[in-house]
């Protein structure tokens, strides 16, 4: 008869330990497996094995976090987290006794086989970089002989979500995110955090880095939950990431509000908001007076949340609302978000309370103090000067002469193509979105038009100058064109990554031309996304034909420049750009 020793690091009276013992009894009572369980809070696994287990056929070691396998034990060993042992008792036993537990060999191999990785990807808009990074990680893992599951946190929420069992099983975790992602669920795992661009360009390197990390031994000091060691990564922290977290939560409000305003104009004309009781007025109330009224508070709230977690959310939201009321707009919202976040973070660390009063800190003390300080600062210190700056900026933009408007369009359009979804691109995009709240729509039109040019030009050039592009690039051009029409600039990244010194300047040139022409023609756009398809909505954009002409002109400039700049490929040379996603 086979025999099993189960050693559990836990108090015998702990509910999870009692549940695990009951589950073991239920699974093994009808099997021909003799077993015994030892449960101690300070158990010495090796000592107990030598004392009670040397005649046993197999060994299970369970602790709050899965312990390491002892090298001295020669029989089959399964190390497992205690909660998993309680939940998945049959699966755990099946790793040691597949025949007795009725587990197929292929199922066993899947559960306890080679290296298994998990990951999370997220970008501010959650449209392109999120899925491109996930695809790159999965492709690299497969090429290296590993299995990997990646959770994507895009614009429609989390997809392919990781389960507790998958996280427990993982040998390492890669989080490639440009927006804030909660990582406490990965405590006790090798965890590498970086940005989406790093995952797109060097997924294999990131996987190797993650596997090379170490988990600190129990008792070692660590500033992170779970005793993790992580390499310092600038991409993990900083103002840019906090800003992008705010933008990612703000964007749906801008899109919904802008489209509803456009529909209000389509239904009720230019004065739709003034005719009470009409459908146009109702749509204007929803879009302009509700959705648009919330986007600055949400921007500020989630900037603060990214910095200080939950303690930052309340003062950030209140500070953002005060920015709206005081007339300091999105600039005041930015100031409120960062002030609230860093203040809440400092207060949380500085205020020390006895254990009996700790419960008051998150629900009373931190919200009260941080909201009071941020509110007074916004009213008396930040709000008035920021309002003056915003009014001056709005006045300058509203009264720009022709030359100034073209210059601004050239700059914004070029920025959109410079890094195609990176910090420079997002800076131009965020600037233009912020101006929507002040009824300035020209820069938004220039930015979206300029952002459509790189993927459209790459797709056109790949089909015109075919000898200068690889078969993979020509095949990917179809999806790239669709991404361009949808205002997903990131579709051009694989082309730029394969030949950056030639592709990027060509893209910047065409996008700058498009942005300048859009401002010259006086095109205005009331919605911040949607690409060419927003033209189907009446009044979403002014001077529509001129706008299409500006986009076409920029595409022609970039396409011609790219056809001349790219050199014909040698027959044997093939540089893959197949990482363009098939859908946004």
């Amino acid at each position: 008869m086979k025999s099993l020793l189960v050693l559990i690091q836990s108090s015998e009276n702990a509910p999870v330990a009692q549940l695990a013992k009951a589950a073991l009894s239920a699974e093994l009572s009808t099997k021909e497996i003799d077993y015994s369980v030892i449960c101690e809070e300070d158990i010495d696994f090796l000592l107990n094995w030598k004392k009670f287990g040397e005649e046993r056929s197999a060994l299970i070691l369970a602790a709050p976090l899965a312990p390491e396998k002892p090298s001295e034990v020669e029989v089959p060993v399964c190390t497992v987290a205690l909660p998993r042992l309680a939940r998945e008792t049959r699966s755990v036993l099946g790793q040691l006794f597949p025949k007795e537990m009725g587990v197929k060999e292929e199922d066993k191999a899947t559960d306890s086989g080679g290296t298994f990785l998990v990951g999370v990807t997220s970008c501010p808009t959650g449209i392109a970089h999120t899925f491109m990074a996930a695809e790159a990680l999965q492709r690299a893992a497969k090429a290296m002989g590993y299995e990997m599951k990646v959770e994507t946190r895009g614009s429609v929420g989390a997809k392919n979500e990781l389960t507790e069992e998958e996280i427990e099983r993982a040998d390492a975790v890669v989080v490639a995110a440009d927006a804030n992602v909660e990582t406490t669920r990965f405590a006790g795992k090798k965890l590498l955090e970086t940005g989406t661009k790093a995952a797109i360009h060097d997924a294999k390197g990131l996987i190797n880095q993650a596997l090379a990390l170490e988990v600190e031994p129990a008792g070692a000091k660590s500033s992170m939950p779970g005793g993790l060691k992580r390499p310092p990564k600038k991409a993990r922290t900083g103002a840019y990431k906090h800003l992008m977290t705010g933008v990612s939560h703000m964007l749906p409000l801008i899109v919904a509000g802008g489209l509803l305003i456009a529909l209000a104009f389509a239904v009720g004309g230019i004065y739709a908001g003034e005719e009470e009781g009409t459908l146009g007025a109702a749509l204007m109330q929803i879009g302009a007076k509700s959705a648009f009224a919330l986007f600055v508070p949400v921007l500020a709230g989630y900037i603060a949340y990214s910095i200080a977690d939950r303690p930052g959310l309340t003062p950030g939201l209140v500070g953002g609302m005060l920015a709206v009321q005081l007339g300091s707009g999105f600039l005041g919202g930015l100031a409120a978000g960062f002030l609230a976040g860093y203040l809440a973070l400092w207060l949380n660390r500085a205020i020390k309370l006895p254990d009996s009063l700790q419960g008051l800190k998150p629900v009373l003390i931190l919200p009260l103090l941080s909201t009071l300080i941020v509110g007074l600062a916004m009213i008396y210190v930040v709000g008035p000067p920021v309002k003056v700056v915003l009014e001056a900026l709005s006045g300058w933009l509203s009264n720009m002469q022709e030359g100034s408007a073209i210059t601004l369009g050239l700059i914004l359009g070029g920025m959109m193509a410079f890094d195609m979804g990176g910090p420079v691109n997002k800076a131009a995009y965020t600037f233009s979105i912020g101006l929507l709240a002040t009824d300035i729509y020209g820069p938004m039109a220039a930015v979206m038009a300029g952002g459509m040019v790189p993927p459209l030009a790459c797709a056109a050039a790949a089909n015109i100058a075919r000898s200068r592009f690889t078969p993979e690039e020509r095949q990917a051009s179809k999806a790239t064109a669709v991404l361009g029409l949808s205002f997903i600039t990131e579709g051009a990244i694989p082309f730029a990554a394969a030949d950056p010194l030639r592709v990027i300047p060509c893209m910047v040139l065409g996008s700058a031309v498009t942005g300048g022409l859009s401002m010259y023609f006086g095109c205005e756009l009331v919605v911040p996304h949607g690409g060419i398809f927003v033209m189907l909505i009446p009044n979403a954009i002014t001077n529509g034909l001129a706008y299409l002409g500006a986009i076409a002109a920029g595409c022609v400039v970039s396409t011609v420049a790219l056809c001349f700049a790219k050199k014909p490929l040698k027959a044997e040379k093939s540089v893959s750009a197949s990482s363009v996603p098939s859908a946004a």
Side-chain angles (χ1 to χ4, degrees):
M1 178 183 289
K2 293 187 177 181
S3 57
L4 169 68
L5 176 63
V6 183
L7 302 178
I8 299 176
Q9 183 185 25
S10 173
S11 167
E12 192 169 0
N13 296 322
V16 68
Q18 293 180 349
L19 184 60
K21 288 190 290 184
L24 285 167
S25 176
E27 290 290 348
L28 296 173
S29 60
T30 59
K31 306 294 188 297
E32 293 185 358
I33 301 174
D34 179 39
Y35 79 100
S36 58
V37 179
I38 299 175
C39 188
E40 295 177 5
E41 198 162 357
D42 299 318
I43 195 169
D44 186 318
F45 289 132
L46 191 56
L47 181 63
N48 278 275
W49 165 253
K50 291 179 177 178
K51 187 175 181 181
F52 301 106
E54 290 189 338
E55 302 300 322
R56 299 283 178 168
S57 308
L59 172 66
I60 291 178
L61 304 180
L65 293 175
E68 294 184 7
K69 291 184 179 181
S71 57
E72 297 88 343
V73 179
E74 297 180 357
V75 300
V77 181
C78 178
T79 61
V80 63
L82 182 55
R84 186 186 173 202
L85 177 62
R87 285 194 312 270
E88 301 177 38
T89 313
R90 184 179 183 81
S91 175
V92 173
L93 292 170
Q95 295 181 36
L96 299 173
F97 307 105
K99 183 177 179 181
E100 289 78 2
M101 302 305 299
V103 177
K104 296 179 181 179
E105 285 300 317
E106 55 267 29
D107 294 337
K108 180 187 174 187
T110 300
D111 190 54
S112 59
T115 301
F116 178 66
L117 304 160
V118 296
V120 181
T121 61
S122 177
C123 71
T125 52
I127 297 174
H129 275 81
T130 299
F131 303 101
M132 294 170 71
E135 186 178 349
L137 287 169
Q138 289 174 317
R139 187 185 301 112
K142 184 177 181 180
M144 299 167 77
Y146 303 149
E147 182 186 356
M148 186 170 194
K149 180 177 179 180
V150 181
E151 174 182 299
T152 56
R153 306 192 71 83
S155 56
V156 293
K159 296 290 184 182
N160 203 32
E161 290 187 71
L162 301 173
T163 65
E164 292 183 14
E165 294 74 22
E166 288 166 337
I167 295 171
E168 175 60 38
R169 180 185 156 208
D171 297 288
V173 183
V174 178
V175 175
D178 300 319
N180 191 51
V181 171
E182 181 59 58
T183 58
T184 53
R185 56 180 166 157
F186 303 123
K189 291 291 178 182
K190 298 176 181 179
L191 174 62
L192 178 71
E193 290 189 65
T194 185
T196 53
K197 276 200 169 184
I200 293 169
H201 295 302
D202 187 23
K204 287 186 178 180
L206 294 181
I207 290 172
N208 285 329
Q209 287 182 51
L211 290 171
L213 295 177
E214 295 180 357
V215 179
E216 293 185 357
K221 290 184 178 180
S222 172
S223 60
M224 301 176 58
L228 302 177
K229 279 187 176 180
R230 284 187 284 191
K233 288 277 180 181
K234 289 184 179 179
R236 284 198 293 116
T237 57
Y240 172 72
K241 185 171 183 179
H242 303 319
L243 174 62
M244 290 301 101
T245 300
V247 169
S248 68
H249 287 86
M250 170 191 76
L251 191 59
L253 288 168
I254 294 286
V255 173
L259 289 173
L260 287 168
I261 291 171
L263 288 174
F265 288 147
V267 171
I270 194 67
Y271 301 108
E274 300 175 9
E275 301 174 2
E276 294 185 9
T278 63
L279 178 60
L283 292 172
M284 187 65 72
Q285 183 175 2
I286 299 169
K289 297 180 182 179
S290 300
F292 262 42
L294 281 173
F295 92 75
V296 172
V298 168
L299 171 67
Y302 279 95
I303 288 175
Y305 175 83
S306 178
I307 297 169
D309 212 333
R310 291 182 185 178
L313 189 57
T314 298
L317 290 169
V318 173
M321 183 59 72
L322 285 171
V324 174
Q325 294 173 355
L326 296 170
S328 55
F330 80 100
L331 292 178
L334 293 175
F338 284 104
L339 172 62
Y342 286 113
L343 174 66
L345 183 65
W346 178 79
L347 288 173
N348 195 19
R349 292 173 176 174
I351 297 175
K352 307 295 182 183
L353 296 174
D355 292 342
S356 59
L357 298 178
Q358 281 292 336
L360 294 176
K361 199 155 105 170
V363 298
L364 175 61
I365 297 173
L366 289 178
L368 175 62
L369 290 179
S370 58
T371 302
L372 174 64
I373 295 171
V374 169
L376 292 174
M378 289 299 297
I379 293 172
Y380 294 110
V381 180
V382 178
V386 172
K387 179 182 179 181
V388 172
V389 171
L390 184 64
E391 288 177 346
L393 176 63
S394 300
W396 176 71
L397 291 171
S398 299
N399 299 297
M400 275 192 304
Q401 299 300 314
E402 189 175 279
S404 299
I406 294 174
T407 301
L408 179 63
L410 288 169
I411 293 171
L412 291 175
M415 290 174 69
M416 291 301 293
F418 182 77
D419 55 359
M420 303 177 197
V424 176
N425 171 288
K426 288 297 187 290
Y429 186 58
T430 304
F431 170 75
S432 302
I433 286 178
L435 293 176
L436 294 180
T438 58
D439 299 329
I440 297 175
Y441 305 114
M444 189 71 253
V447 159
M448 190 164 83
M452 293 167 64
V453 168
L456 290 174
C458 286
N463 288 280
I464 295 172
R466 297 176 67 85
S467 64
R468 288 167 165 78
F469 294 85
T470 65
E472 293 86 356
E473 287 173 325
R474 294 197 297 271
Q475 179 63 31
S477 66
K478 299 177 180 64
T480 303
V482 175
L483 294 174
L485 292 172
S486 305
F487 180 42
I488 299 176
T489 315
E490 291 89 340
I493 286 177
F495 294 86
D499 193 3
L501 295 180
R502 292 184 178 89
V503 173
I504 292 177
C506 296
M507 298 301 103
V508 170
L509 180 63
S511 292
V513 169
T514 292
L517 287 175
S518 176
M519 293 294 288
Y520 173 75
F521 292 132
C523 300
E524 295 185 339
L525 181 67
V526 298
V527 293
H529 217 292
I532 203 72
F533 304 105
V534 300
M535 298 196 69
L536 300 175
I537 302 172
N539 300 310
I541 186 165
T542 60
N543 298 331
L545 291 177
Y547 192 62
L548 288 176
I551 296 171
C555 288
V556 170
V557 170
S558 284
T559 301
V560 172
L562 198 55
C563 289
F564 280 103
K566 292 274 287 184
K567 293 182 178 180
L569 298 177
K570 295 180 181 179
E572 69 274 10
K573 184 179 180 182
S574 179
V575 181
S576 173
S578 60
S579 60
V580 178
S582 59

